[in-house]
Amino acid sequence: DNDDEIPGGALNNKKSLTSLVLPDKLKKICGDAFADCNMLTGSLIIPEGVEEIEMAAFRSCTNLNGALKLPSTLKVLGRMAGYTYYWDGPFRDCGFVGELILPESLEVIGWGAFEGCRGLYGELRLPENLKSLGQAAFSGLVNMVGSIEIPQQVTTIEELTFSGSGFNGTLTLHDGITSIGEGAFSGTALKGELHLPKNLEVISKESFCGCDFSGTLVIPKTVRQIGAKAFAYNWRLMGTLEIPEGVLSIGSGACAQCRMLEGVIFPESLESIKYEPSWGED
């Protein structure tokens, strides 16, 4: 065994474990190492030198009720799509209370990394070096506030990434983003104008449902798919919405209850959608 790793499942579901001090020479905490240790209390300090925390490492440590301190050396937190599920996030449903500060070295934030960590607060600063941002990574962080800016190397926003969280500032999406997953920002009170990426191709179901965007909504010419309720319940979006020629499908209720929209201009290829009652109703 490597003496700089905590093996997978090492203390999984160990109810007698009430406190934890990790060794200084540690480089990796493997999957499920402390999962479901729900008698653990206090803060969690990951020592400097740790580069990777695998999936479900501290999942459902619901009584870890202090701060979370991540090391400046951390590169990988959880795993990417295809290797895990969002309910295996390394800190999913932990009870941390404190400000969430991500190290600049972080390159991967895996699926469900902080999902349901309702006690984390502050403004989110995603590291510039971030390459992968997983499904439901920040879902349910109701006490996080402020704006969201997606780093340049992240080109896909996965399902539910920021859903049901407390972010209430503006959203900055760079032009390299090509796909926005189902419910990615749903139920999050982001405001200001929504500037969609110039190279965007897919706007999935409920991507921006229930946000608080205002201003004129412009769909990029590259978009091919607009999912059901993609922009629903954004009461303050204005102007006449023009659907680009290249759009192949539009889901029902895409702009349901967007009461301030003055109308929609469809390309000839989608004329029939004009008469679909569910386009702008619910």
Side-chain angles (χ1 to χ4, degrees):
D1 291 345
N2 294 328
D3 59 5
D4 57 0
E5 294 184 3
I6 294 178
L11 293 166
N12 184 8
N13 201 31
K14 193 169 183 63
K15 302 302 182 186
S16 60
L17 187 65
T18 59
S19 61
L20 181 64
V21 178
L22 295 168
D24 289 339
K25 63 180 179 180
L26 200 59
K27 289 188 177 178
K28 183 177 181 179
I29 302 172
C30 295
D32 290 282
F34 301 98
D36 304 304
C37 289
N38 51 25
M39 298 305 289
L40 266 178
T41 61
S43 297
L44 178 61
I45 300 171
I46 308 293
E48 287 295 318
V50 171
E51 297 180 356
E52 182 173 2
I53 302 172
E54 285 193 343
M55 66 179 193
F58 295 91
R59 182 197 61 210
S60 297
C61 290
T62 52
N63 285 310
L64 272 178
N65 53 7
L68 170 65
K69 181 171 174 53
L70 299 173
S72 65
T73 50
L74 188 64
K75 292 181 180 179
V76 178
L77 182 59
R79 289 186 182 173
M80 294 178 280
Y83 295 94
T84 185
Y85 300 95
Y86 73 84
W87 52 83
D88 277 332
F91 296 119
R92 182 179 188 261
D93 290 335
C94 285
F96 303 121
V97 176
E99 186 175 4
L100 176 60
I101 299 174
L102 301 176
E104 284 300 317
S105 57
L106 203 54
E107 296 178 2
V108 174
I109 299 176
W111 284 30
F114 299 98
E115 197 263 343
C117 293
R118 300 170 66 87
L120 291 174
Y121 59 78
E123 297 190 15
L124 181 66
R125 289 179 174 81
L126 293 171
E128 289 184 15
N129 291 326
L130 194 66
K131 297 172 183 173
S132 178
L133 180 56
Q135 177 177 330
F138 298 99
S139 178
L141 270 63
V142 294
N143 288 306
M144 298 294 292
V145 296
S147 299
I148 299 172
E149 182 172 356
I150 305 300
Q152 292 294 319
Q153 295 184 74
V154 175
T155 57
T156 298
I157 312 298
E158 302 279 359
E159 294 181 23
L160 304 172
T161 303
F162 299 96
S163 66
S165 51
F167 300 104
N168 57 2
T170 57
L171 174 62
T172 303
L173 301 169
H174 62 83
D175 286 336
I177 294 171
T178 58
S179 177
I180 298 175
E182 183 174 327
F185 300 96
S186 62
T188 297
L190 290 161
K191 57 192 177 185
E193 294 192 22
L194 174 59
H195 296 290
L196 295 173
K198 290 180 180 178
N199 297 312
L200 188 62
E201 297 176 8
V202 176
I203 304 170
S204 301
K205 176 182 177 182
E206 299 181 7
S207 291
F208 301 104
C209 181
C211 297
D212 195 27
F213 293 116
S214 57
T216 302
L217 178 60
V218 178
I219 307 293
K221 293 180 179 180
T222 51
V223 169
R224 300 290 177 262
Q225 174 188 330
I226 301 174
K229 294 189 177 180
F231 302 102
Y233 304 100
N234 279 274
W235 320 107
R236 299 192 296 149
L237 286 175
M238 299 183 293
T240 300
L241 183 62
E242 185 171 349
I243 306 299
E245 289 283 346
V247 170
L248 302 174
S249 65
I250 302 177
S252 63
C255 288
Q257 300 296 325
C258 292
R259 299 169 184 168
M260 295 182 72
L261 280 180
E262 296 166 17
V264 183
I265 300 173
F266 293 90
E268 289 184 9
S269 59
L270 293 175
E271 279 289 309
S272 61
I273 293 181
K274 276 188 180 182
Y275 307 105
E276 185 180 341
S278 58
W279 157 253
E281 300 176 8
D282 185 41

